[in-house]
Amino acid sequence: MSRLVLHLPLLESLPGGAGRLPPELRRVLARSRRFDGDPREALAALLQCPPIPAPAVLSRLAGPPLSDRERASWWLRFDPVRLVPDLTAVWIDRAIALDFGSDPMRSLTAELQAMFEAEGFAWQPGAGDGFGLLKLEQAPDCAFMAPDAVYGERLDEVLPRGPDAARWRRLINESQMIFHQVRPLDRADQQGVGLWFWGGGTLTGPAPPTRDTPAVRIVDHGDSARVRGLANWLVARLDDSAARFDDAAAPCCYVHWPLQATDIDAALEALVEHWLKPARKALGRGSLREISVLGGSGCWRLGRLDPLAFWRRQAGGFDAGGGSA
């Protein structure tokens, strides 16, 4: 294997910063070279593939094959998110996975369907993940932000912006009212839920030719439609969360490891034991060329000689404090 890519969305925003990380992972990040930038662009560079389609398109690629018309359509994804009010503002919490096809969701789904039909939108429930997809004839003149980018932010500062923004802000408000009135969730926070629109794009070209793209092994530890769609787009091998490090499996291995588990510390320790420790041994003996850790706002890259960079003692990308090796 030439490269291992460990993708930990929202890594830089963990409570406690780098000080929260297991020592092995903290040392790797401290010795690595940090590159800030868009994670999707960074992933394409790491996988040595063409520009990766938008998240909504990847989510659609996880489902049945696209028709010619669907390939030309503009797709927009929405996820239910918690909206937490206090005395001064409404704050955006993490996205929550809802099964829109289940019996408890039936009345909610009908209300959301009516809302979208009134706007002339075609809605497709997602293939897992508790999300939905809107198929539009053209891109709206509006800018949307991803849930990872708005997590922990004030709602009024990250709402859609642009000439068409009023329509999408209204739909966010209407979805909150539907969740409040229908009350499909048997949980204390059911009144503070609304839909968040994001990840729009279109599939403008064919999947990258396999002869030009190095073979990739993809391991999905989060049951993500975007990761399944990426595997379909790359025509790559997809393994489930039971997979472990194997430096002979493929020239490149991409591991999606979201930190939204109930016990984040246990999830990080499992990552270290099953992937990072054996990868560092492979890096030392030369059977692995590079370990890359992809976060929410950039990536860290550790080559064979980087562990010798003892002058690097702080893990870049985190807030000041709590980053020592």
Side-chain angles (χ1 to χ4, degrees):
M1 183 189 300
S2 61
R3 178 178 290 110
L4 172 66
V5 181
L6 302 175
H7 187 186
L8 286 73
L10 296 177
L11 175 62
E12 297 94 329
S13 62
L14 278 181
R20 174 80 177 269
L21 305 179
E24 180 87 7
L25 177 56
R26 194 163 63 246
R27 281 194 293 270
V28 165
L29 299 186
R31 298 289 188 264
S32 299
R33 293 156 290 148
R34 166 75 183 186
F35 300 90
D36 292 323
D38 179 76
R40 187 153 53 103
E41 295 178 0
L43 181 59
L46 293 172
L47 299 184
Q48 300 177 30
C49 69
I52 295 173
V57 176
L58 290 180
S59 302
R60 176 60 186 85
L61 289 173
L66 288 163
S67 66
D68 290 340
R69 182 172 181 179
E70 287 178 322
R71 293 179 69 88
S73 297
W74 202 88
W75 296 90
L76 186 66
R77 174 167 165 155
F78 62 80
D79 290 73
V81 296
R82 295 189 185 96
L83 302 170
V84 183
D86 64 14
L87 294 177
T88 61
V90 176
W91 304 87
I92 301 180
D93 203 344
R94 298 178 189 273
I96 55 177
L98 300 180
D99 184 359
F100 289 114
S102 65
D103 287 340
M105 296 289 130
R106 186 170 299 172
S107 58
L108 173 74
T109 299
E111 293 291 335
L112 293 177
Q113 184 73 35
M115 181 182 75
F116 290 131
E117 287 180 352
E119 297 291 332
F121 296 150
W123 170 31
Q124 294 185 10
D129 279 15
F131 66 93
L133 294 169
L134 297 177
K135 181 166 67 71
L136 311 178
E137 294 304 319
Q138 61 184 11
D141 192 359
C142 186
F144 303 92
M145 297 181 67
D148 286 358
V150 303
Y151 167 62
E153 301 292 332
R154 291 168 56 110
L155 176 63
D156 57 354
E157 294 181 352
V158 295
L159 286 167
R161 299 184 183 277
D164 294 341
R167 182 186 210 183
W168 298 98
R169 293 185 180 199
R170 174 171 51 79
L171 288 174
I172 291 173
N173 290 333
E174 289 184 13
S175 70
Q176 292 180 61
M177 290 188 288
I178 290 174
F179 274 95
H180 176 70
Q181 293 168 1
V182 178
R183 299 173 181 266
L185 308 179
D186 185 18
R187 55 203 302 170
D189 62 356
Q190 63 183 10
Q191 298 181 40
V193 178
L195 298 183
W196 191 258
F197 302 95
W198 68 289
T202 186
L203 185 62
T204 56
T210 55
R211 65 179 181 275
D212 295 333
T213 302
V216 179
R217 176 194 184 199
I218 295 179
V219 180
D220 183 12
H221 203 268
D223 191 24
S224 167
R226 283 176 286 163
V227 176
R228 295 195 301 275
L230 177 65
N232 290 339
W233 183 69
L234 287 170
V235 194
R237 169 184 167 185
L238 177 63
D239 292 337
D240 61 20
S241 59
R244 299 292 185 267
F245 178 82
D246 179 0
D247 59 359
C252 180
C253 182
Y254 165 67
V255 181
H256 178 243
W257 198 282
L259 298 176
Q260 297 184 8
T262 302
D263 190 341
I264 292 177
D265 294 327
L268 288 169
E269 291 291 350
L271 174 76
V272 169
E273 289 299 320
H274 300 319
W275 291 96
L276 197 57
K277 283 186 176 180
R280 288 199 68 182
K281 292 179 180 178
L283 189 71
R285 63 176 179 262
S287 58
L288 182 66
R289 191 179 70 199
E290 182 178 279
I291 300 172
S292 301
V293 179
L294 185 62
S297 59
C299 69
W300 297 262
R301 301 178 68 169
L302 184 79
R304 289 197 62 192
L305 299 180
D306 288 315
L308 302 178
F310 295 109
W311 59 89
R312 299 179 190 154
R313 298 181 178 274
Q314 302 291 325
F318 294 90
D319 292 335
S324 62

